[in-house]
Amino acid sequence: MKKIYLLFLSSLLSLAAFAGNPDRQGEAGAAQLLMNPWAPSAGLHSLGTSYVTGVEAMRINPAGVSRFAGTQVMLGYANYLQGTDISMQAIGVTSRVGENGGFGFSVMSLDFGDIPITTTEQPEGTGALMNLSFINVGLTYSHQFENKVSVGLTLRGVSESTSDVNSFGFAIDAGVQYVTGAAEEFKFGLSLRNVGSRMAYGGQGLATAADNPDQSADYKLTYAQRAAGFEMPSMLNIGASYDFLTQVENQRVTLVGNFTANSFSRDQVGAGLEYAFREQFLARVGYRVDLSAANESTSTSADQSPIYDGISAGASIRVPFARGDVSRRFTVDYAYRSTRIYQGTHNVGLSLSF
C-alpha cells in the first residue's frame, strides 16, 4: 500500500508538469496516438482508465492487460470524422502468462483515402496518388500482484511516412490499476501515455534545388532542408469506477469518471455509465468536456473548442461458446462519438476471447 500511495502522490505532483496549456495547442505531433480504434472503450470516450482490460488496455492503461483471464484477439475499424475519408484499422492480441503476467501486441494504421499529388507545374494533379503510411506498433507487459494491484508498460514504435519523407520515434505508456471492495466493485487507475523521443521528418522529399552561387556554373545545387522536431502528445489519466447492482442477479451498472491532463491542449474531465445484462449485452454512454479558463473570450473558446462535442455511446453483444461461460465468447461492438464538425466518428469491432 505504501507503494500505491507513493505512486498516487507522484501522479498528483506531476499534474503541474502536465497541466493543460492551450498556448501549446498544435505543437505536438503523432496525433494518431490520441485516436482510439477500439469500439468498447470508444463508446465511453476512452474514460475507462480504472477498469479497462485486455486488448483495449494497451491503448488506455497497460496495467489492465494482465486482468484479462485468458487470450483475446480483437479487430477494430473506425470511420474517423465521417466525411473526411479517414479510417483507422487495428488488430491486437493479449494473453495471460502464468498466474499473474500478461503480454500484448497491437498494430494500428491510418488510411487517408485518395490524395492526388499536385505540383507547382501541375496544380490540377499529376495523375498519381500520395502514398501515406501512418502506423504504430505496441508491445505490452503487465503484472498483477496478489494485493489486487496491477502494473503495466507499453513500448510503442511510431512511424509516419510518404514515398520520400519519413519520421520515426518511440513512446512509452505506463499504468497502474487498484481493485478493492467485497465484490471488487471499486477500481482506481492511473496511466501516463505517449512519453517518448522527439520526432522529425527527413528524406529526399525535403531536398530543394537552388541556383548555384558560382555564377560561372551552369547547373543548380540540391540543398537538404532540416525539418523542425516535434514532441509526442503526452498525457496523464486518473480514473475511478464503481460497480452498482453487484448483488442483483445477472445485472451490473458501472459508474466511470476520468480526468486527463494534456501537455499540449486543455485538460479534460468526463463521466460515463455502462450497463450489462448477464455480461452478454452491454450498453454504454459517456460525456467528456474540456476544462476552459473562465476568462477566455467566446471567440477564443470557439477557435480552440474540441473536435469531440461531448457525447458518446456504444453497445456490445457477447455470444458465449458454452452456456453460462461468458469468459469464452465472440463479441460484436459498436460505438459513436459526436463531433463538432463533420458527422461524428463510428467504431465497429470484433473480438474472440478464450
Side-chain angles (χ1 to χ4, degrees):
M1 289 304 299
K2 291 182 179 179
K3 294 180 179 179
I4 297 301
Y5 294 145
L6 180 59
L7 181 59
F8 179 66
L9 179 61
S10 299
S11 66
L12 293 180
L13 294 176
S14 64
L15 286 178
F18 282 84
N21 186 355
D23 294 336
R24 303 176 68 190
Q25 190 160 294
E27 294 183 8
Q32 56 174 302
L33 298 178
L34 300 175
M35 301 179 183
N36 185 0
W38 310 119
S41 53
L44 276 173
H45 261 320
S46 305
L47 302 175
T49 304
S50 60
Y51 80 108
V52 65
T53 63
V55 171
E56 296 176 282
M58 290 187 284
R59 174 63 57 171
I60 299 173
N61 187 349
V65 170
S66 61
R67 291 195 176 276
F68 190 89
T71 299
Q72 183 180 42
V73 180
M74 183 175 285
L75 299 175
Y77 175 84
N79 187 353
Y80 180 72
L81 298 179
Q82 185 177 3
T84 62
D85 290 334
I86 301 176
S87 62
M88 292 180 276
Q89 302 84 30
I91 182 172
V93 180
T94 60
S95 182
R96 191 72 175 264
V97 178
E99 295 183 0
N100 301 315
F103 278 100
F105 177 78
S106 65
V107 179
M108 172 188 161
S109 66
L110 291 181
D111 184 352
F112 295 90
D114 295 336
I115 302 177
I117 296 177
T118 60
T119 64
T120 53
E121 293 80 12
Q122 296 176 289
E124 299 300 324
T126 63
L129 298 177
M130 185 173 293
N131 180 21
L132 290 175
S133 177
F134 278 48
I135 298 177
N136 64 80
V137 180
L139 182 63
T140 301
Y141 176 74
S142 175
H143 186 85
Q144 183 176 352
F145 298 94
E146 295 181 359
N147 59 350
K148 301 182 180 180
V149 175
S150 62
V151 297
L153 185 71
T154 296
L155 177 63
R156 198 181 309 277
V158 183
S159 174
E160 300 181 354
S161 65
T162 68
S163 57
D164 53 6
V165 177
N166 62 81
S167 178
F168 184 82
F170 286 101
I172 294 177
D173 297 356
V176 60
Q177 287 181 339
Y178 175 67
V179 179
T180 188
E184 297 187 348
E185 66 272 17
F186 178 76
K187 302 176 180 67
F188 175 79
L190 295 169
S191 68
L192 184 61
R193 293 180 49 200
N194 308 329
V195 178
S197 60
R198 288 177 61 86
M199 298 175 63
Y201 286 100
Q204 187 62 32
L206 296 180
T208 181
D211 293 334
N212 197 318
D214 186 357
Q215 300 296 328
S216 62
D218 58 353
Y219 58 88
K220 292 186 176 183
L221 295 180
T222 300
Y223 296 90
Q225 301 181 82
R226 291 186 296 178
F230 56 89
E231 297 184 38
M232 297 186 184
S234 53
M235 62 171 62
L236 175 68
N237 290 291
I238 302 177
S241 62
Y242 190 87
D243 297 336
F244 295 93
L245 300 181
T246 55
Q247 304 303 320
V248 178
E249 186 178 4
N250 298 328
Q251 297 189 67
R252 171 179 60 84
V253 175
T254 300
L255 176 64
V256 181
N258 194 82
F259 170 78
T260 301
N262 292 296
S263 294
F264 293 92
S265 60
R266 293 191 179 110
D267 295 338
Q268 298 169 325
V269 63
L273 281 173
E274 181 178 75
Y275 170 77
F277 178 72
R278 293 184 177 179
E279 297 297 333
Q280 296 181 25
F281 173 78
L282 295 88
R284 52 188 70 93
V285 61
Y287 188 82
R288 188 182 67 183
V289 296
D290 283 17
L291 298 178
S292 304
N295 58 354
E296 286 183 349
S297 65
T298 303
S299 60
T300 302
S301 299
D303 293 339
Q304 297 182 352
S305 54
I307 289 293
Y308 290 107
D309 197 21
I311 196 72
S312 67
S316 299
I317 298 177
R318 296 172 176 174
V319 181
F321 295 152
R323 186 179 181 88
D325 183 11
V326 296
S327 61
R328 303 176 60 209
R329 61 182 184 262
F330 173 77
T331 307
V332 180
D333 307 295
Y334 171 77
Y336 170 78
R337 286 170 286 172
S338 175
T339 55
R340 179 173 52 86
I341 55 177
Y342 296 102
Q343 289 80 48
T345 295
H346 300 263
N347 288 70
V348 293
L350 301 174
S351 67
L352 183 65
S353 305
F354 53 93

